[in-house]
Amino acid sequence: METLTTQGNALRLVDLEKEFRAPDGGMVTAVNNISLDVAPGEFVSLLGPSGCGKTTILRMVAGLEQPSGGEILIGEERVNELPPYKRNIGLVFQSYALFPHKTVFDNVAYSQTLRRRPKAEIKSSVDEMLALVGLDHHADRFPTQLSGGQQQRVALARALVSDPRVLLFDEPLSNLDARLRVQVRAEIRRVHQRLRPTVIYVTHDQSEAMSMSDRIAVMSAGQVIQLGTPQDIYQRPDNKFVADFVGSANFFPARVLERKSKELVVEFSGGTFKIGSWAPGCEQNDDVLLVIRQEHLEILPESDSSIHGIIRGTEFLGTHTECMVEIGGQTALATLESGGSRTMPALGSKVGIRFRENRVHVIANTPE
């Protein structure tokens, strides 16, 4: 598994494991031998479906769960045995976890009050955090007087006010509607760019991870399947799980005719194509899958392409129309931009299909 080798990591997970006892008395592995280095100021998202182990990792870093094996280091300090309050971790929860009987100011100041800092210092730091998240004029309000997005920004200010060594987010936008999610994730990204805290962000939402992260760890069944930048994860997935989970991908069976230093020559639908991007494990004579994102699959008049398909469905979505196209016995998704004089193809009509070779990625065709 890839790790980032950086001097002075802010957080390091070494062979981290977590097992739980199942109701039948057996053991279930929730986190399976994960190693991850996070650089100071880096924003890393743990992305995956429910039950893949991402929240369990977060809880172990926070000290809310004890690892079954491996090490957690914050800076150079091993923290496995440290209680949560000694780790200097900031936590932002899905449920906000604000005190309803305390004002916004007092919610943000709570941890500082427990540490018995001077009142003038508390006021200065709380005022600064509230101004940073745009709530300086709401200091005297109570949580019930705020919107969901405002409450989440209070929770963010509360987590930041202690200058945490690592800031942890556990599905923080799940309780917000779609429009608020976009606004608050932009706010989180802005605050991160301003203060550069080290962030571990847990989510099952690919758009959150793609829009905010420096790197993404895609997880499945307690393991990190691929670790990389959002661009790497989207454009160069290592396998079908990653390609299918992040974005909308079409998979077409092909065969490698020749492997060169900088390209694969593959056969697909009776034609040969030169592909410059492929995952490990793709060798000459192998059966492989072409990964073509739906926005890179172009629909043309039937006579304009040697690859043909049949329109099996369309869905108008405002800015574009999604078309379901049957190609070689399988259904693929293609995107048609709205506007202009182009007529939408009719159901059952035959069309041509085109894609750019430099937009295609090749992965090994391994059994699922």
Side-chain angles (χ1 to χ4, degrees), residues 225-247:
I225 305 301
Q226 185 173 351
L227 175 67
T229 66
Q231 293 79 11
D232 285 338
I233 297 294
Y234 189 79
Q235 296 172 3
R236 292 172 289 278
D238 282 350
N239 50 60
K240 188 175 181 180
F241 175 85
V242 174
D244 202 29
F245 191 80
V246 180

Side-chain angles (χ1 to χ4, degrees), residues 169-229:
F169 290 88
D170 186 14
E171 302 270 9
L173 309 184
S174 295
N175 288 339
L176 304 179
D177 62 38
R179 185 174 180 180
L180 270 178
R181 282 201 300 271
V182 173
Q183 292 175 355
V184 177
R185 81 186 188 203
E187 187 74 13
I188 291 171
R189 188 60 175 161
R190 181 187 67 80
V191 170
H192 180 259
Q193 290 172 340
R194 170 83 178 274
L195 299 181
R196 300 306 298 185
T198 302
V199 170
I200 301 294
Y201 189 100
V202 163
T203 182
H204 64 274
D205 188 319
Q206 56 173 289
S207 60
E208 289 179 26
M210 296 287 288
S211 65
M212 295 191 288
S213 309
D214 297 314
R215 286 188 303 156
I216 299 172
V218 181
M219 294 188 61
S220 176
Q223 295 183 312
V224 173
I225 305 301
Q226 185 173 351
L227 175 67
T229 66

Side-chain angles (χ1 to χ4, degrees), residues 2-6 8-12 36-45 165-169 189 192-193 195-201 212-217 227-230:
E2 176 193 354
T3 58
L4 180 70
T5 304
T6 306
N9 290 303
L11 174 67
R12 192 175 192 199
L36 174 68
D37 290 353
V38 182
E42 190 177 21
F43 194 122
V44 175
S45 288
R165 293 194 288 178
V166 181
L167 182 58
L168 307 177
F169 290 88
R189 188 60 175 161
H192 180 259
Q193 290 172 340
L195 299 181
R196 300 306 298 185
T198 302
V199 170
I200 301 294
Y201 189 100
M212 295 191 288
S213 309
D214 297 314
R215 286 188 303 156
I216 299 172
L227 175 67
T229 66

Side-chain angles (χ1 to χ4, degrees), residues 64-116:
L64 303 176
E65 296 281 357
Q66 186 66 24
S68 304
E71 290 188 313
I72 301 170
L73 294 95
I74 298 178
E76 300 300 320
E77 180 184 12
R78 174 188 160 103
V79 300
N80 287 43
E81 289 77 30
L82 283 184
Y85 69 92
K86 288 189 176 181
R87 299 191 184 195
N88 192 17
I89 295 288
L91 278 167
V92 181
F93 297 99
Q94 175 180 333
S95 60
Y96 318 139
L98 302 177
F99 296 111
H101 62 285
K102 292 181 179 292
T103 65
V104 167
F105 182 96
D106 289 338
N107 265 281
V108 176
Y110 182 70
S111 64
Q112 305 303 291
T113 304
L114 289 180
R115 295 177 184 182
R116 299 183 179 180

